[in-house]
Amino acid sequence: FNAFHPDTRKPMHRECGFIRLKPDTNKVAFISAQNTGLVEVEEGEVNGQELSIASHSIARISFAKKPHVEQITRKFRLNSDGKLEQTVSMATTTQPMTQHLHITYKKVTP
């Protein structure tokens, strides 16, 4: 994922990772590293057109900015228009679990 400032189009948050399926189950693991110094391992399940995961492990670089993320949940859903939606909620050292992001992705071909 790559996020850009909506007005200036300046690059902001970036993350790269993997989704791994547990064979013969609907269980999944999501592993990602972010340019902010955060590394996540999330686990959950696929049910129909929806993937729901929650943080299992979170690590960060020693000089990461506060507040620190303590919990994350993500929900990916293929909507009726065939577009992928993602909702991310998180809890930090200063905020309870709150929706942080909701996005609908648009497929872009190079």
Side-chain angles (χ1 to χ4, degrees):
F1 305 110
N2 296 312
F4 300 89
H5 189 279
D7 298 325
T8 65
R9 303 299 295 157
K10 178 181 175 185
M12 295 170 62
H13 172 91
R14 301 181 100 182
E15 59 186 82
C16 180
F18 303 90
I19 295 176
R20 182 173 173 176
L21 300 170
K22 184 176 181 181
D24 304 317
T25 73
N26 65 338
K27 308 281 186 211
V28 296
F30 176 85
I31 304 99
S32 82
Q34 302 179 20
N35 65 325
T36 59
L38 187 70
V39 177
E40 310 167 41
V41 175
E42 299 173 36
E43 295 184 4
E45 297 181 340
V46 175
N47 290 304
Q49 301 295 315
E50 193 169 280
L51 166 64
S52 298
I53 51 180
S55 52
H56 177 273
S57 303
I58 296 176
R60 72 186 59 79
I61 58 176
S62 62
F63 51 92
K65 291 182 183 178
K66 291 182 180 180
H68 293 154
V69 175
E70 295 184 323
Q71 290 180 295
I72 299 174
T73 63
R74 294 177 191 260
K75 189 172 286 189
F76 294 91
R77 184 175 76 87
L78 192 60
N79 70 23
S80 59
D81 295 331
K83 293 184 179 177
L84 182 65
E85 296 180 356
Q86 180 185 189
T87 302
V88 179
S89 297
M90 64 174 61
T92 70
T93 49
T94 60
Q95 293 287 330
M97 186 65 77
T98 306
Q99 183 174 312
H100 175 70
L101 167 78
H102 179 84
I103 186 166
T104 301
Y105 293 97
K106 178 176 76 171
K107 186 175 183 177
V108 178
T109 55

